[in-house]
């Protein structure tokens, strides 16, 4: 980013004699058609897509076939009964915690990182969750890329290491162009994906209907047996719960949802429910479907290949398609993986942007972080992370669920009883660096559950470590907020961005005193250091202000008058 430094201003000295130098952003950072408001509130003027378009684009991100591999791995390891219970339990938890998060992101036009800031974590407290979210995107990019490389190896004989590189490079042109390009890709590929998803099960129903019944008595490949096991249920749920951070990727699209009005509220509610937590309904069905296809293909291809989605797809298609089953299955796999990996790469670029902007006070543009995310994902693929699937996802889920559960607890409990502001405040100018309510709850829950995961508290605690993480986060977040009387949510009151500002005032633009660009009211703060309004990004990138706005000054700061707004 190219910018001129803004000198520190004494808050008690009054307005400076001259206008602060303008900050100019690098070309890629200034182009919102590519930047997609990666570090900002998504303004109403940019939310030009319909509820249906946003929802269908968001749901395009669940095309991934990792669900097939995860479901097969759970059932192969713990048997059908325990596996079924695990998948359904995890889906219920993910759906329940996802509802308030999805609604908040769509209502306030904020991504998961900005929601986290104002939902109990504080300005710097949420940097840790940015890393958690970034790790989710590159872990699952690597997992999905491995599946695509396996398909290309089967069809073209392409060596896996080269396949990993191809699957990484292929998404860059799409992700580079942002939400507009992603919406088109998801729409164009949806028919192919839907046909490819359903066809194997239709063929199986006609050609081998008895396999459905046989599957329900499957005892796995590790000797677990077909009956229910509490240990298997707990461990399987932990693996399935690794997908809980997917709500963050859904939120990256939901922030572009148009404003909710009387005319569109039914469509809006349905679209947010479907594109937010609703993804997990399809996801759970895919996990069970993937396990079924792997079970049917087990005898023909062996356990190792049965866990790779391409081989079960081919075996399911063979009765009707014969020799063309392989290329048809490969087409489905490639389309599916492109649909999800453009989302993984896009969301990863957003999370890295949020992290580095706060740590370095620099922002060269979202697109540069695409390459960082993809480089990490490619490294994981080359290290064959697919072989350690269960252990890796089981470990990750402990941290992921502690984060999501703490945010959900704040939105559902703390805001309703008054321990947290009724709206989401995400701007540095009004936030404490760390809020112990959410951040403290997540850290404690993560540490305890990870110790349990590694067996410190016995085998049952190990199996149910993710339940420990969820329970502690859900309990501690409200408890800490109550104990601290919510004092760490706002470092100072926000006079104009409260929850009841009318829509016509929200959409009115105000010019940032630093970059001299007009932004809608929710993206603006009043700044003592610059004696006027400042946009949220200029505020984040200011390294010299000393956070005077959140500290008690020695004298009264002289502020440029902020616009008065009407409230309901």
């Amino acid at each position: 980013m190219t910018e001129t430094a803004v000198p520190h201003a004494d808050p008690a000295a009054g307005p400076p004699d001259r206008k602060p130098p303008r900050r100019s952003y690098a070309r890629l950072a200034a182009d919102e058609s590519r930047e997609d408001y990666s570090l900002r509130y998504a303004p109403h003027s940019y939310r030009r897509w319909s509820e249906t378009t946003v929802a269908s684009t968001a749901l395009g991100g669940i095309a991934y076939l990792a669900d097939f591999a995860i479901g097969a791995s759970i059932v192969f390891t713990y048997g059908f009964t325990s596996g079924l219970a695990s998948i359904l339990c995890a889906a219920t938890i993910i759906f329940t915690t996802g509802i308030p998060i999805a609604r908040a992101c769509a209502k306030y036009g904020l991504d998961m990182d900005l929601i986290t800031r104002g939902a109990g974590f504080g300005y710097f407290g949420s940097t840790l969750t940015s890393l958690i979210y970034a790790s989710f995107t590159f872990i699952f990019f690597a997992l999905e890329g491995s599946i695509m490389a396996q398909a290309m190896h089967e069809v073209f004989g392409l060596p896996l290491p080269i396949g990993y590189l191809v699957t990484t490079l292929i998404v860059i042109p799409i992700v580079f162009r942002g939400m507009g390009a992603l919406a088109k890709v998801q729409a164009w590929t949806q028919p192919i994906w839907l046909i490819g998803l359903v066809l194997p099960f239709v063929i199986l129903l006609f050609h081998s209907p008895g396999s459905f019944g046989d599957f329900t008595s499957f005892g796995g490949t590790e000797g677990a047996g077909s009956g229910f096991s509490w240990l298997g249920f707990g461990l399987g749920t932990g693996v399935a719960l690794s997908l809980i951070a997917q709500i963050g990727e859904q939120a990256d699209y939901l922030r572009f949802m148009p404003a909710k009005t009387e005319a569109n509220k039914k469509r809006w509610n349905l679209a947010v429910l479907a594109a937010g937590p609703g993804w997990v309904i399809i996801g759970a069905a895919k996990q069970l479907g993937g396990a079924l296809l792997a079970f049917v293909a087990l005898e023909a291809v062996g356990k190792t290949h049965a866990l790779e989605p391409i081989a079960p797809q081919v075996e399911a298609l063979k009765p009707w398609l014969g020799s063309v089953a392989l290329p048809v299955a490969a087409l489905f796999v490639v389309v599916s993986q492109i649909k999800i990996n453009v989302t993984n790469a896009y969301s990863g670029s957003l999370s890295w942007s949020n992290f580095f902007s706060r740590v370095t006070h620099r922002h060269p543009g979202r697109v540069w972080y695409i390459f960082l995310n993809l480089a990490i994902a490619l490294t994981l693929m080359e290290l064959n992370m697919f072989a350690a699937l269960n252990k890796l996802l089981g470990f990750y889920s402990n941290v992921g669920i502690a984060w999501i559960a703490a945010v959900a607890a704040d939105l559902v409990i703390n805001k309703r009883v008054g321990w947290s502001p009724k709206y989401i405040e995400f701007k540095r100018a009004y936030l404490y660096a760390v809020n112990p309510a959410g951040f403290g709850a997540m850290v404690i829950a993560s540490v305890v559950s990870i110790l349990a995961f590694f067996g410190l508290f016995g085998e049952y605690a190990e199996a149910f470590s993710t339940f420990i993480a969820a329970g502690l986060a859900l309990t501690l977040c409200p408890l800490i907020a109550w104990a601290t009387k919510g004092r760490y949510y706002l470092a100072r009151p926000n006079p104009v961005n409260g929850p009841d500002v009318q829509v016509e005032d929200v959409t009115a633009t105000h010019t940032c005193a630093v970059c001299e660009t007009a932004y809608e009211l929710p993206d603006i703060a009043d700044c003592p250091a610059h004696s006027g309004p400042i946009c949220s990004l200029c505020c984040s990138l200011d390294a010299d202000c000393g956070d005077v706005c959140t500290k008690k000054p020695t004298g009264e700061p002289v502020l440029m008058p902020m616009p008065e707004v009407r409230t309901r």
Side-chain angles (χ1 to χ4, degrees):
M1 182 187 71
T2 304
E3 59 180 80
T4 53
V6 180
H8 172 73
D10 183 350
D17 294 332
R18 63 184 180 84
K19 188 176 183 180
R22 173 183 172 132
R23 172 184 276 118
S24 60
Y25 292 103
R27 183 174 61 88
L28 290 175
D31 182 1
E32 292 298 352
S33 67
R34 289 183 171 85
E35 186 66 6
D36 275 349
Y37 296 88
S38 61
L39 302 177
R40 300 182 183 274
Y41 152 85
H44 289 277
S45 60
Y46 193 72
R47 301 184 214 175
R48 58 183 180 268
W49 297 277
S50 69
E51 300 89 350
T52 303
T53 299
V54 174
S56 62
T57 303
L59 286 174
I62 65 166
Y64 53 86
L65 296 183
D67 266 340
F68 280 48
I70 290 170
S73 180
I74 291 172
V75 173
F76 274 29
T77 305
Y78 307 114
F80 172 80
T81 304
S82 298
L84 174 65
S86 299
I87 291 168
L88 295 181
C89 179
T92 301
I93 294 172
I94 292 172
F95 187 88
T96 304
T97 56
I99 293 173
I101 294 173
R103 292 183 64 85
C105 292
K107 177 180 179 180
Y108 294 106
L110 304 176
D111 65 17
M112 193 66 202
D113 178 78
L114 302 186
I115 289 288
T116 300
R117 290 186 198 177
F121 283 72
Y123 182 72
F124 279 108
S126 63
T127 55
L128 179 58
T129 64
S130 291
L131 288 179
I132 294 170
Y133 184 30
S135 65
F136 173 86
T137 64
F138 62 65
I139 286 172
F140 277 89
F141 188 103
L143 181 56
E144 306 297 345
S146 297
I147 293 171
M148 190 193 301
Q150 291 162 5
M152 291 190 292
H153 176 71
E154 291 294 326
V155 177
F156 304 112
L158 193 68
L160 286 177
I162 298 176
Y164 298 149
L165 180 62
V166 172
T167 63
T168 302
L169 296 177
I170 200 171
V171 304
I172 293 176
I174 303 168
V175 182
F176 192 87
R177 298 186 63 84
M179 174 66 177
L182 266 64
K184 291 178 182 177
V185 167
Q186 299 295 6
W188 295 342
T189 55
Q190 205 78 326
I192 297 175
W193 178 72
L194 286 172
I195 293 171
L197 179 67
V198 173
L199 185 58
F201 299 100
V202 173
I203 296 175
L204 198 61
L205 185 63
F206 280 92
H207 184 262
S208 183
S211 59
F212 291 86
D214 296 338
F215 179 53
T216 61
S217 59
F218 180 50
T221 58
E222 310 297 322
S226 59
F228 180 79
S229 163
W230 282 107
L231 288 175
F233 166 70
L235 291 167
T237 303
V239 175
L241 278 174
S242 63
L243 293 165
I244 196 166
Q246 177 66 30
I247 190 61
E249 296 197 346
Q250 305 307 112
D252 289 337
Y253 295 118
L254 285 170
R255 65 197 175 107
F256 297 122
M257 192 70 70
K260 182 180 179 181
T261 65
E262 282 298 318
N264 75 348
K265 67 179 181 180
K266 289 185 179 179
R267 294 193 309 274
W268 192 93
N269 287 329
L270 182 60
V272 170
L273 187 67
W279 76 266
V280 78
I281 298 174
I282 301 174
K286 286 165 58 191
Q287 289 177 40
L288 291 172
L292 171 63
L293 294 181
F295 163 73
V296 173
L298 179 60
E299 186 175 345
V301 302
K303 177 186 172 182
T304 300
H305 290 299
L307 293 174
E308 300 171 355
I310 180 65
Q313 287 280 327
V314 172
E315 291 301 312
L317 295 175
K318 274 183 179 178
W320 283 10
L321 301 184
S323 60
V324 298
L326 178 57
V328 169
L331 175 64
F332 169 66
V333 171
V334 170
V335 168
S336 298
Q337 303 316 87
I338 289 176
K339 284 169 73 66
I340 179 54
N341 266 354
V342 294
T343 298
N344 282 328
Y346 177 72
S347 295
S349 71
L350 297 179
S351 58
W352 284 120
S353 295
N354 275 295
F355 175 77
F356 281 109
S357 68
R358 277 170 288 175
V359 173
T360 67
H361 297 287
R362 294 289 184 270
H363 182 55
R366 173 190 67 83
V367 296
W368 292 106
Y369 294 113
I370 296 171
F371 300 103
L372 171 63
N373 210 51
L374 296 185
I376 298 173
L378 179 59
T379 301
L380 289 178
M381 283 189 276
E382 299 292 356
L383 293 175
N384 192 24
M385 63 152 286
F386 196 86
L389 182 64
N390 270 9
K391 203 68 176 176
L392 177 66
L393 298 183
F395 171 80
Y396 177 83
S397 64
N398 288 280
V399 182
I401 196 170
W403 164 37
I404 298 299
V407 172
D410 180 84
L411 296 174
V412 174
I413 301 172
N414 297 358
K415 292 193 180 304
R416 293 192 178 185
V417 300
W419 298 329
S420 173
K422 296 295 184 184
Y423 71 107
I424 302 293
E425 182 55 76
F426 66 95
K427 295 180 288 297
R428 173 189 180 188
Y430 301 106
L431 295 173
Y432 282 102
V434 175
N435 185 343
F439 182 79
M442 184 198 74
V443 170
I444 294 171
S446 297
V447 170
V448 174
S449 64
I450 289 172
L451 292 176
F453 176 77
F454 284 109
L456 188 65
F457 308 125
E459 62 177 356
Y460 277 91
E462 177 182 351
F464 287 88
S465 63
T466 50
F467 290 86
I468 294 172
L472 284 175
L474 287 169
T475 303
L476 290 175
C477 182
L479 187 61
I480 296 173
W482 167 79
T484 58
K485 296 180 171 58
R487 62 173 295 188
Y488 294 102
Y489 280 89
L490 293 178
R492 61 173 175 138
N494 184 340
V496 296
N497 285 179
D500 296 322
V501 176
Q502 294 185 9
V503 172
E504 55 266 37
D505 295 313
V506 168
T507 56
T509 58
H510 310 282
T511 302
C512 173
V514 179
C515 68
E516 298 178 0
T517 305
Y519 294 99
E520 290 181 6
L521 182 61
D523 210 24
I524 291 288
D526 60 315
C527 178
H530 297 293
S531 299
I534 187 171
C535 71
S536 62
L537 183 53
C538 284
C539 181
S540 290
L541 299 181
D542 198 327
D544 301 312
C545 68
D547 289 318
V548 296
C549 57
T550 59
K551 299 173 182 176
K552 291 183 179 180
T554 56
E556 284 297 320
V558 179
L559 301 184
M560 181 181 295
M562 289 292 287
E564 291 188 6
V565 297
R566 297 160 289 164
T567 59
R568 295 184 183 88

